[in-house]
Amino acid sequence: MTMTQAQNKIDYIVFHKPKEAGKLLYNYGFEVPKDKVSLVKSIKALIRKEGRKVTEQLLSLHPDTKAILSLKETNTSHCRACNQKTLNASGTSCKSCGHSGYKGAGDEDHFLGQFDTYSDKELETYYRKVTQNSEDDPENKTLAQEVQLIWNELRLRKQENKTQEKNMNTKESKGISKDDLILFGMVFIAGILVGHGLKISTIHGK
């Protein structure tokens, strides 16, 4: 992956501020990878675990923060992501959190990429909000498609969680390892030898 391939906000920030991103990861008790690709993956995993508080800390590292804060929008409305009244008039971008709504066919990757910064619980909350918005505006086909995209993302995450839990249970159910069996065998044999030796000593003692 090159700098030009850093397509979403997380990649962009980590590639431009790797030392700062690494420090953030370290502060949460994680080992800091040496390469940027692994660092991006670790940061995303941390966000999945800790949620929006990490996202906010990461966004504060954004190299273009000043330029972003200097932008001003009028006729704003409430953003479904952060619930702040900072969504622009067209509903495509939020000045507070940077979230942008689904724009239609071809925007799937960009739109879903934003939710890398969401924990599972936060994504479920967003899903409930967008579902309610869609019910209030049933003629909005793009909004209905957004609901479907979020539902699919939630479903995929649940499948991944089940797979991870299954793998963990499989590892736990493997039982005694080969090394443990060898050790137990050695102890058992040693016990027999010691017992045999005590028996002989007793006989000679008599």
Side-chain angles (χ1 to χ4, degrees), residues 152-167:
N152 289 339
E153 179 67 16
L154 279 170
R155 182 172 55 81
L156 288 173
R157 286 194 182 191
K158 289 179 180 179
Q159 288 177 347
E160 290 176 359
N161 292 338
K162 286 182 179 179
T163 300
Q164 291 176 356
E165 290 176 3
K166 184 178 180 180
N167 290 338

Side-chain angles (χ1 to χ4, degrees), residues 49 68 117 141 192:
K49 180 180 179 182
I68 293 172
T117 64
K141 303 302 181 184
I192 293 175

Side-chain angles (χ1 to χ4, degrees), residues 119-176:
S119 66
D120 294 345
K121 185 177 180 180
E122 289 165 342
L123 187 59
E124 289 175 0
T125 299
Y126 182 90
Y127 174 72
R128 287 193 293 269
K129 288 180 180 179
V130 73
T131 298
Q132 184 60 56
N133 290 154
S134 182
E135 290 175 354
D136 294 339
D137 187 10
E139 299 300 320
N140 191 330
K141 303 302 181 184
T142 301
L143 195 56
Q145 291 173 341
E146 181 172 333
V147 171
Q148 188 61 47
L149 286 171
I150 299 301
W151 167 249
N152 289 339
E153 179 67 16
L154 279 170
R155 182 172 55 81
L156 288 173
R157 286 194 182 191
K158 289 179 180 179
Q159 288 177 347
E160 290 176 359
N161 292 338
K162 286 182 179 179
T163 300
Q164 291 176 356
E165 290 176 3
K166 184 178 180 180
N167 290 338
M168 290 178 64
N169 292 334
T170 300
K171 290 180 180 179
E172 291 175 357
S173 64
K174 284 183 177 180
I176 301 174

Side-chain angles (χ1 to χ4, degrees), residues 6-205:
Q7 297 177 351
N8 62 41
K9 287 189 286 293
I10 297 177
D11 298 78
Y12 183 79
I13 294 171
V14 173
F15 268 83
H16 284 79
K17 295 289 187 73
K19 290 184 179 179
E20 292 82 352
K23 184 177 180 181
L24 176 62
L25 193 64
Y26 178 81
N27 288 340
Y28 277 89
F30 289 88
E31 184 178 350
V32 181
K34 294 182 180 180
D35 65 283
K36 294 179 181 178
V37 174
S38 297
L39 181 57
V40 168
K41 292 180 180 178
S42 296
I43 288 291
K44 288 182 178 179
L46 176 63
I47 290 172
R48 288 287 296 273
K49 180 180 179 182
E50 300 293 341
R52 299 287 288 181
K53 62 181 181 180
V54 176
T55 304
E56 292 172 0
Q57 291 174 299
L58 188 65
L59 288 176
S60 69
L61 303 177
H62 200 295
D64 304 324
T65 299
K66 292 183 178 179
I68 293 172
L69 293 177
S70 67
L71 297 176
K72 293 184 178 181
E73 295 271 4
T74 58
N75 300 321
T76 57
S77 58
H78 283 91
C79 172
R80 288 190 293 274
C82 66
N83 206 35
Q84 299 296 315
K85 195 178 180 181
T86 47
L87 187 69
N88 65 2
S90 62
T92 57
S93 181
C94 175
K95 184 173 68 175
S96 292
C97 67
H99 177 81
S100 60
Y102 178 58
K103 300 179 181 65
D107 187 43
E108 288 81 5
D109 289 343
H110 174 266
F111 173 70
L112 290 175
Q114 300 174 106
F115 298 102
D116 287 341
T117 64
Y118 283 53
S119 66
D120 294 345
K121 185 177 180 180
E122 289 165 342
L123 187 59
E124 289 175 0
T125 299
Y126 182 90
Y127 174 72
R128 287 193 293 269
K129 288 180 180 179
V130 73
T131 298
Q132 184 60 56
N133 290 154
S134 182
E135 290 175 354
D136 294 339
D137 187 10
E139 299 300 320
N140 191 330
K141 303 302 181 184
T142 301
L143 195 56
Q145 291 173 341
E146 181 172 333
V147 171
Q148 188 61 47
L149 286 171
I150 299 301
W151 167 249
N152 289 339
E153 179 67 16
L154 279 170
R155 182 172 55 81
L156 288 173
R157 286 194 182 191
K158 289 179 180 179
Q159 288 177 347
E160 290 176 359
N161 292 338
K162 286 182 179 179
T163 300
Q164 291 176 356
E165 290 176 3
K166 184 178 180 180
N167 290 338
M168 290 178 64
N169 292 334
T170 300
K171 290 180 180 179
E172 291 175 357
S173 64
K174 284 183 177 180
I176 301 174
S177 67
K178 182 178 179 181
D179 291 339
D180 290 335
L181 288 173
I182 293 174
L183 179 61
F184 291 154
M186 292 174 65
V187 171
F188 180 72
I189 293 172
I192 293 175
L193 292 174
V194 170
H196 184 65
L198 290 174
K199 184 177 181 181
I200 294 174
S201 298
T202 303
I203 294 173
H204 288 179

